[in-house]
């Protein structure tokens, strides 16, 4: 492997890592346009392993937007990332697979008392997670002209705990 190939491999790994981090941030922040921009045009997401839906990324983003309103406080911690780049005889190809574990504490929305002026109640989150879930993501990524994009993501929930 030449230094040029080694440097390109490191750059690919860093770019893929940035996509995975961007995925977590988009879900946690409810940035659904950013979420969609991380996927290839035919990208798909599969949340059935955590009790959700499967389908085109744009449709799943709409489902997430609605579902995540129940959890105004959420934080993905994506760790133990294993990135496998396509190997074309010593050169990296245009596909990659990532397996990464996650820990995801979430807080349910709480309805506050209505204001003294008769205004409708506001929703607020609790500081203590209502439940925590953990598992593994598998990502399939393709190199595009604009950089690495997610072709598919699958959630494999391993456990869920309500403290």
């Amino acid at each position: 492997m030449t230094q040029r190939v080694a440097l390109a491999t490191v750059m690919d790994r860093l770019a893929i890592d940035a996509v995975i981090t961007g995925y977590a941030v988009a879900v946690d922040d409810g940035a659904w346009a950013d979420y969609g921009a991380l996927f290839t045009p035919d990208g798909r997401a599969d949340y059935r392993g955590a009790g959700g839906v499967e389908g085109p990324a744009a449709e799943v983003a709409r489902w997430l937007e609605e579902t995540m309103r129940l959890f105004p406080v959420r934080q993905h911690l994506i760790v133990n990332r294993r990135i496998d780049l396509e190997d074309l005889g010593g050169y990296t190809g245009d596909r990659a697979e990532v397996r990464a574990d996650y820990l995801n504490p979430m807080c349910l929305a709480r309805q506050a008392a209505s204001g003294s002026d008769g205004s409708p109640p506001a929703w607020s989150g609790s500081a203590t997670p209502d439940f925590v879930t953990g598992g593994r993501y598998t990502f399939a990524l393709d190199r595009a002209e604009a950089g690495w994009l997610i072709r598919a993501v699958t959630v494999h929930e391993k456990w869920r705990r309500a403290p």
Side-chain angles (χ1 to χ4, degrees):
M1 182 180 291
T2 67
Q3 282 185 322
R4 183 174 292 174
V5 171
L7 178 59
T9 300
V10 169
M11 297 301 290
D12 282 335
R13 289 180 179 281
L14 289 170
I16 289 167
D17 188 69
V19 170
I20 303 306
T21 298
Y23 169 88
V25 170
V27 173
D28 291 344
D29 291 352
W32 306 116
D34 294 347
Y35 176 91
L38 295 168
F39 286 84
T40 61
D42 62 343
R44 297 187 70 81
D46 185 349
Y47 289 83
R48 292 175 296 180
V53 300
E54 185 276 336
E59 290 177 18
V60 173
R62 287 190 290 276
W63 173 81
L64 283 168
E65 181 176 14
E66 187 64 32
T67 302
M68 291 298 113
R69 288 180 191 183
L70 299 172
F71 307 101
V73 178
R74 54 192 179 266
Q75 181 178 31
H76 282 77
L77 305 173
I78 300 182
V79 299
N80 301 334
R81 300 171 197 220
R82 181 175 175 179
I83 300 172
D84 294 317
L85 292 164
E86 179 181 37
D87 184 354
L88 300 177
Y91 295 90
T92 58
D94 294 333
R95 294 196 169 217
E97 302 288 331
V98 177
R99 287 184 303 269
D101 295 332
Y102 70 86
L103 178 66
N104 186 10
M106 294 189 281
C107 299
L108 287 165
R110 305 262 192 273
Q111 190 170 20
S114 57
S116 59
D117 62 354
S119 61
W123 290 92
S124 65
S126 137
T128 304
D130 292 294
F131 71 91
V132 181
T133 181
R136 178 166 291 158
Y137 284 111
T138 55
F139 294 91
L141 294 98
D142 290 344
R143 185 193 315 269
E145 194 171 314
W148 287 94
L149 295 172
I150 300 168
R151 178 174 19 95
V153 59
T154 304
V155 180
H156 308 277
E157 185 178 80
K158 293 183 178 181
W159 59 270
R160 183 179 292 190
R161 179 175 66 91

